[in-house]
Amino acid sequence: GAGVSQSPSNKVTEKGKDVELRCDPISGHTALYWYRQSLGQGLEFLIYFQGNSAPDKSGLPSDRFSAERTGGSVSTLTIQRTQQEDSAVYLCASSLGAGPNLKETQYFGPGTRLLVL
Amino acid sequence: GEDVEQSLFLSVREGDSSVINCTYTDSSSTYLYWYKQEPGAGLQLLTYIFSNMDMKQDQRLTVLLNKKDKHLSLRIADTQTGDSAIYFCAESNQGGKLIFGQGTELSVKP
């Protein structure tokens, strides 16, 4: 079956512009996670969704970052007024549910490489 | 707070065993994971271990868990050049989010 897909795979933008990143989770997975991978910070958690609600947004670095999920499926991560330090790979993962149990094993998409000039 | 530490680099010769080490701080983690990331690719789940186990073997991979010392290791037997990648150790917290180590870059020399 299809895995987690993300689009675009690469995005180059100018400082100050807004960007939207999309994640399509594995069908039937109710939990969806966003992470960021950057050279200086490693892999950082941003936000996760259980269904359409986001119980944990603690990783969002600033109020320029927001995410939504509709219909319990596709999620978009929006970065407003992008800054150069936002340049990173944004990874999405999905799991059957949320919580530290086996069925909650997270499967990752290929990521979106964002470069802010 | 939660923290996961790994050494950054490991270099081995083809055919040797590789051992990648990881320490973590959250004793309430139920599962601990190893992910592999090849250049330009996303994260691939390699294996996991339940916190009440000491060891898990899966083909060439052996995971050892010392819960008392909060130490996790991944052994790759008969390492091949195709095993060259970055290996991430991760623990999951009560909310399910993964806390990753910095990643260990494994270089396999022919």
Side-chain angles (χ1 to χ4, degrees), chain A residues 6-11 21-22 88-91 110-114:
Chain A
Q6 293 185 245
S7 60
S9 52
N10 293 281
K11 176 74 179 177
L21 312 179
R22 177 186 166 109
V89 177
Y90 289 82
L91 292 164
T112 293
R113 281 162 182 71
L114 174 66

Side-chain angles (χ1 to χ4, degrees), chain A residues 33 35 37 42-45 48 56 58-59 89 91 93 98-111 113, chain B residues 28-31 33 35 37 39-45 48 50 86 88 92-102:
Chain A
Y33 302 77
Y35 295 86
Q37 185 175 25
L43 266 161
E44 307 169 274
F45 165 82
Y48 97 88
D56 189 349
S58 62
V89 177
L91 292 164
N101 297 316
L102 176 60
K103 66 184 174 68
E104 284 79 30
T105 298
Q106 295 177 32
Y107 297 89
F108 283 78
R113 281 162 182 71
Chain B
S28 66
S29 293
T30 308
Y31 284 91
Y33 301 88
Y35 281 86
Q37 186 176 40
L43 288 165
Q44 173 196 352
L45 176 65
Y48 62 89
F50 186 46
I86 301 177
F88 290 91
S92 60
N93 76 351
Q94 294 302 315
K97 74 183 184 189
L98 292 174
I99 310 299
F100 287 92
Q102 311 95 305

